[in-house]
Amino acid sequence: MNTRTKSQKFAYWFLALSTFFMYIVLTGSKNLYTAEKLTMQAVDNFDPVAMMSTMEYYFYAYAITQVLLVFFMKKINIKWYLTITISLSGILTILMSFTNVVVEQWIIYVINGAMQAGIWGCSLQTLSKHLPKDILPKANSIMSSGPAVAYFISYGVSALFGENWRFPFVLLGIILIIAVALYFIAVTNMKRYPREVELHHVVHADGTEEDVTDEDKNDFIHLKNRKRIFAYYAFSLFFGLVVTFLYFSLNNTVDYFISNIGGFDNTTAKVLSMVVLVLSVFGPVIVVRVCENHINFLKVGLVFFGFALLCSIVLLVLFNVGITSFAILVVFYATFLILVNGGRTISLSVSALRMRDKINTGVYSTMVNAAASISAGIAPKIYTIIVNPKVEDPVLIHQNWINAFTVSVILGAIVVVALIGLLFWIKRLNKIDEKTDAIVSDTVV
């Protein structure tokens, strides 16, 4: 029976929403650079490839700092760590408005990468530590929609101020500092409400009884020893690396796609990019909802990436046969982003939160996010080189996008095969455990 007071319910949701608000404003302010790249190139003649290096260097700093955080995550005070680092990030975001050369932007984004490195892992650790089981999936769904909402913020603010690319950095920098203050208040307030632990009374086949947590009850990955834990971590790192490359490659070049293939101007490309990216928010929301009703979240991921692979194949075929109807292409492009964004939620949050009693949520999510950060930094630059937005020859533009979609098909196939392999590995381990348990049970009898 739920005996929570109104103030307790408010505290839980205030924590979830304030953490989400801080995350999306931070991500939106970081992505503002991507949203403003066409304007900065048009107004101040910045080189597009040099600009892509800014985000590349950012993610290198982000990933390296996350690797260091893995060793200190259990020892640091997360509330104070995020309050200090993200506040500094807000100040650095404001300073972006005063830059005039790409090198200055490189420096700011490298420092910002280090300051923002703890946002995802520490946010999930905060939610995992304080929220009860019934609210956690809803909070996960909200957090997983963050990147898409953040793109709406960055592209929306960018479109709102048109050719003025400087003021948006000031605006989002100030809002980020306010968001940090709200997060600090929310976490401080949680001292009044210790985390609830729900137990289930289970009677085993041999007649023994015990109380287990919900995570134990729903366990389908038997991480019984260090070897299995290491193997699962290794797969998660690889998975995060590949699926993030797959997502960020087309996600960060959607404005180029709209401009190159659709022939739209700078402002219209921003608005349409914002619409496409906002649609991708449905992917994580659907995945988290489906995973609430399916214990094996890896099968859910397989379905999403399977359909994503199909979409990428269709895009490649359409380009190869010369079908360049923008409406048809953008539908499959957007569907691809929705599916991949949903599927990657499995590695970024679902796995970490569903197994929070078996692994350290903060450490696990930080490790996976570190691997993902490397791809997030490299993918946009590689795809920008492949699609080459400076090219004006329609034939070359067409061929460049064929090359881009070919890479997507290959990566999508790797993800699908890897998931199938992992599911077979888990099935094999479960059979071994069942035989072992049966032998032990017979011995006891």
Side-chain angles (χ1 to χ4, degrees), residues 355-374:
M355 298 193 298
R356 63 177 177 172
D357 284 354
K358 295 176 175 59
I359 59 176
N360 184 286
T361 300
V363 172
Y364 176 86
S365 55
T366 300
M367 287 179 61
V368 174
N369 208 29
S373 302
I374 297 173

Side-chain angles (χ1 to χ4, degrees), residues 15-25 142-146 149:
L15 175 67
L17 295 177
S18 63
T19 303
F20 174 69
F21 183 53
M22 179 176 67
Y23 174 60
I24 61 170
V25 176
I142 294 172
M143 288 295 292
S144 298
S145 68
V149 176

Side-chain angles (χ1 to χ4, degrees), residues 87-128:
S87 294
L88 291 174
S89 176
I91 296 173
L92 288 167
T93 300
I94 294 173
L95 291 178
M96 271 295 298
S97 64
F98 299 99
T99 61
N100 294 300
V101 294
V102 176
V103 175
E104 294 172 342
Q105 295 168 356
W106 288 352
I107 295 172
I108 288 178
Y109 263 73
V110 165
I111 300 174
N112 227 349
M115 293 297 101
Q116 296 181 0
I119 184 63
W120 183 251
C122 290
S123 293
L124 290 190
Q125 180 67 14
T126 298
L127 299 178
S128 176

Side-chain angles (χ1 to χ4, degrees), residues 4 131-137 196 198 200 214-215 356:
R4 296 172 193 154
L131 296 184
K133 178 186 71 67
D134 59 310
I135 295 180
L136 198 58
E196 300 174 359
E198 297 190 17
H200 302 268
D214 187 73
E215 286 80 2
R356 63 177 177 172

Side-chain angles (χ1 to χ4, degrees), residues 55-337:
M55 296 308 300
E56 180 185 5
Y57 299 153
Y58 164 89
F59 281 112
Y60 288 157
Y62 188 86
I64 291 171
T65 307
Q66 283 185 319
V67 171
L68 296 176
L69 272 176
V70 167
F71 299 100
F72 300 100
M73 182 70 73
K74 296 179 181 180
K75 300 178 181 180
I76 63 175
N77 184 311
I78 289 179
K79 179 181 73 172
W80 280 105
Y81 175 77
L82 283 185
T83 298
I84 294 171
T85 56
I86 307 307
S87 294
L88 291 174
S89 176
I91 296 173
L92 288 167
T93 300
I94 294 173
L95 291 178
M96 271 295 298
S97 64
F98 299 99
T99 61
N100 294 300
V101 294
V102 176
V103 175
E104 294 172 342
Q105 295 168 356
W106 288 352
I107 295 172
I108 288 178
Y109 263 73
V110 165
I111 300 174
N112 227 349
M115 293 297 101
Q116 296 181 0
I119 184 63
W120 183 251
C122 290
S123 293
L124 290 190
Q125 180 67 14
T126 298
L127 299 178
S128 176
K129 178 181 178 181
H130 296 293
L131 296 184
K133 178 186 71 67
D134 59 310
I135 295 180
L136 198 58
K138 299 180 180 67
N140 184 16
S141 180
I142 294 172
M143 288 295 292
S144 298
S145 68
V149 176
Y151 273 109
F152 177 82
I153 292 173
S154 54
Y155 278 89
V157 172
S158 175
L160 181 64
F161 291 96
E163 300 302 302
N164 183 355
W165 64 266
R166 298 180 186 273
F167 183 73
F169 283 101
V170 176
L171 178 62
L172 291 186
I174 293 173
I175 295 176
L176 181 56
I177 294 173
I178 295 173
V180 173
L182 293 174
Y183 166 82
F184 183 87
I185 294 171
V187 177
T188 302
N189 187 44
M190 291 309 300
K191 291 181 179 180
R192 301 165 55 191
Y193 309 106
R195 174 188 158 189
E196 300 174 359
V197 179
E198 297 190 17
L199 296 176
H200 302 268
H201 190 69
V202 176
V203 180
H204 297 290
D206 59 1
T208 59
E209 301 179 13
E210 68 173 325
D211 290 327
V212 300
T213 64
D214 187 73
E215 286 80 2
D216 290 322
K217 182 184 177 185
N218 293 327
D219 179 33
F220 76 96
I221 304 177
H222 300 165
L223 303 180
K224 292 185 174 182
N225 53 54
R226 291 184 179 181
K227 183 179 179 181
R228 292 186 184 184
I229 293 175
F230 177 81
Y232 186 71
Y233 270 55
F235 175 84
S236 298
L237 290 174
F238 168 78
F239 191 71
L241 191 74
V242 178
V243 299
T244 303
F245 194 104
L246 186 62
Y247 178 71
F248 271 80
S249 57
L250 294 183
N251 180 70
N252 280 34
T253 51
V254 63
D255 49 355
Y256 288 143
F257 178 81
I258 292 172
S259 178
N260 286 167
I261 306 303
F264 294 98
D265 58 57
N266 185 6
T267 301
T268 305
K270 286 182 180 180
V271 174
L272 292 178
S273 297
M274 178 179 64
V275 173
V276 171
L277 294 173
V278 168
L279 287 175
S280 66
V281 74
F282 292 106
V285 173
I286 295 171
V287 164
V288 173
R289 180 64 60 86
V290 173
C291 286
E292 285 186 54
N293 301 314
H294 291 79
I295 296 175
N296 194 331
F297 50 79
L298 293 175
K299 288 184 178 179
V300 177
L302 179 59
V303 171
F304 269 71
F305 281 112
F307 281 107
L309 174 60
L310 181 61
C311 282
S312 62
I313 292 173
V314 170
L315 282 168
L316 181 59
V317 171
L318 290 176
F319 266 81
N320 270 313
V321 299
I323 297 178
T324 56
S325 170
F326 179 73
I328 295 175
L329 294 173
V330 79
V331 166
F332 282 100
Y333 197 111
T335 303
F336 173 86
L337 290 179

Side-chain angles (χ1 to χ4, degrees), residues 32-50:
L32 188 59
Y33 191 81
T34 301
E36 293 286 9
K37 64 180 180 291
L38 292 178
T39 301
M40 295 170 75
Q41 292 163 20
V43 174
D44 291 326
N45 199 32
F46 285 102
D47 180 72
V49 175

